[in-house]
């Protein structure tokens, strides 16, 4: 059983906090704001419960509601909290020039994502010079591990028991993301990724939009971030893929080394 599930059953008030946290994550993931109906549905809450929790979060400044559209958006207190937390957790300043270099050298859109529990969250996006682009990923967008190329790269380098536990916790992956995310085909991609060093997502999220990812490791050798590339299918042909992979791995190694040498 997932440790957080046990905590919600044994710690007073944990369920309410978990529900509010889920709503916060959904609000921050919606770059243009989210409606009450959408938030309630995605959080698996009734409209009345979702509205009550959102109103409480609004009083604390953690979310805000646009008066014109009634859409819910991140509040000012989240910005202040994030600024303080960034000093410990944020590696975007360490990574910014590396992500930019990756975009310049490959001409594709380049990204930095961070692992957060069972998801990856995009922190940085740098556009490449090639005029046709993929817009599957942008800052703040979340995907489950093993779905987008960044999360596939990270999951590939986790210990086997962590991978087993993750798949046990998320039997919904094939229903939500397609049969290619069932345990057997996903495990096959994880094995290929580990052997190759980088992941390849051949249009499994959006048809025709390909991605590649390479894990970035912390000082203890844990895959906590990933660099990735996205672009249109014909830019990721067999003649170009190995070179893109080498470039991606070189930049990921550079960022891992930089993180290891920092004081974070």
């Amino acid at each position: 059983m997932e440790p957080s599930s046990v905590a919600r059953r044994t710690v007073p008030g944990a369920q309410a906090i978990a529900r509010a946290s889920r709503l916060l994550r959904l609000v921050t993931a919606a770059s243009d704001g989210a409606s009450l109906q959408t938030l309630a549905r995605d959080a698996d809450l009734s409209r009345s419960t979702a509205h009550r929790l959102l109103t409480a979060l609004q009083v604390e400044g953690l979310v805000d509601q646009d008066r014109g559209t009634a859409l819910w958006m991140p509040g000012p207190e989240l910005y202040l909290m994030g600024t303080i937390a960034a000093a410990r957790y944020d590696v975007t300043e360490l990574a910014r020039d590396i992500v930019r270099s990756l975009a310049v050298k490959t001409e594709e859109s380049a990204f930095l994502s961070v692992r957060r529990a069972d998801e990856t969250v995009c922190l940085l996006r740098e556009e490449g010079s090639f005029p046709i682009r993929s817009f599957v990923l942008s800052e703040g967008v979340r995907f489950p591990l093993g779905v987008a190329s960044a999360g596939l790269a990270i999951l590939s380098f986790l210990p086997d028991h962590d991978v087993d536990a993750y798949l046990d916790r998320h039997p919904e992956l094939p229903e939500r993301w397609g049969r290619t995310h069932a345990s057997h085909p996903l495990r096959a991609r994880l094995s290929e990724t580990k052997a190759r060093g980088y992941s390849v997502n051949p249009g499994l999220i959006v048809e025709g939009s390909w991605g590649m990812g390479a894990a970035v490791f912390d000082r203890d050798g844990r895959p906590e971030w990933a660099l990735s590339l996205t672009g249109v299918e014909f830019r990721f042909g067999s003649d170009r893929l190995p070179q893109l992979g080498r470039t991606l791995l070189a930049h990921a190694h550079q960022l891992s080394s930089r993180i290891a040498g920092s004081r974070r």
Side-chain angles (χ1 to χ4, degrees):
M1 182 179 293
E2 189 179 0
S4 58
S5 299
V6 176
R8 287 169 197 155
R9 294 182 181 181
T10 58
V11 179
Q15 185 181 50
I17 292 174
R19 288 175 170 177
S21 298
R22 174 68 173 151
L23 285 171
L24 275 177
R25 286 193 290 270
L26 290 169
V27 168
T28 57
S31 57
D32 296 324
S35 68
L36 173 61
Q37 180 179 355
T38 298
L39 291 170
R41 181 197 67 209
D42 292 348
D44 196 23
L45 298 172
S46 68
R47 286 173 60 97
S48 60
T49 298
H51 186 266
R52 175 171 53 81
L53 290 171
L54 287 167
T55 301
L57 291 170
Q58 184 181 28
V59 170
E60 300 299 327
L62 295 170
V63 298
D64 201 4
Q65 188 176 30
D66 186 277
R67 292 184 179 181
T69 64
L71 296 178
W72 292 91
M73 300 180 179
E77 281 297 325
L78 279 185
Y79 169 77
L80 297 174
M81 291 178 178
T83 301
I84 296 170
R88 180 176 183 185
Y89 296 106
D90 188 19
V91 301
T92 54
E93 290 311 309
L94 292 178
R96 196 175 299 278
D97 65 315
I98 294 176
V99 176
R100 186 176 300 116
S101 170
L102 184 59
V104 168
K105 290 183 177 179
T106 65
E107 300 182 336
E108 309 298 341
S109 297
F111 308 86
L112 170 72
S113 296
V114 62
R115 179 189 176 195
R116 180 65 182 92
D118 286 353
E119 298 178 313
T120 56
V121 185
C122 180
L123 299 178
L124 283 175
R125 174 181 177 125
E126 189 73 33
E127 299 290 359
S129 61
F130 191 73
I132 305 176
R133 297 167 183 166
S134 169
F135 292 96
V136 174
L137 195 59
S138 59
E139 289 93 338
V141 171
R142 295 170 179 259
F143 282 107
L145 294 177
V147 174
S149 55
L152 186 60
I154 289 173
L155 190 61
S156 298
F157 287 93
L158 289 176
D160 290 343
H161 61 85
D162 284 348
V163 174
D164 293 341
Y166 171 76
L167 294 177
D168 287 344
R169 288 195 300 273
H170 294 284
E172 80 285 353
L173 286 176
E175 181 180 353
R176 175 84 186 275
W177 300 99
R179 289 179 295 175
T180 56
H181 294 89
S183 179
H184 182 71
L186 180 54
R187 285 181 186 275
R189 286 201 300 282
L190 294 175
S191 179
E192 292 168 1
T193 297
K194 196 167 186 178
R196 189 171 45 216
Y198 57 87
S199 65
V200 177
N201 187 322
L204 299 180
I205 300 175
V206 175
E207 185 176 357
S209 178
W210 281 46
M212 300 174 65
V216 174
F217 300 87
D218 66 11
R219 278 183 258 186
D220 297 318
R222 294 186 297 257
E224 295 294 337
W225 304 270
L227 294 177
S228 60
L229 298 167
T230 68
V232 291
E233 181 176 356
F234 72 86
R235 295 281 291 174
F236 292 78
S238 58
D239 58 329
R240 192 167 182 254
L241 206 61
Q243 179 58 48
L244 288 174
R246 287 191 292 271
T247 303
L248 183 59
L249 285 173
H251 283 71
H253 176 71
Q254 182 185 3
L255 182 52
S256 294
S257 298
R258 187 176 290 185
I259 290 169
S262 73
R263 294 184 178 181
R264 281 177 170 79

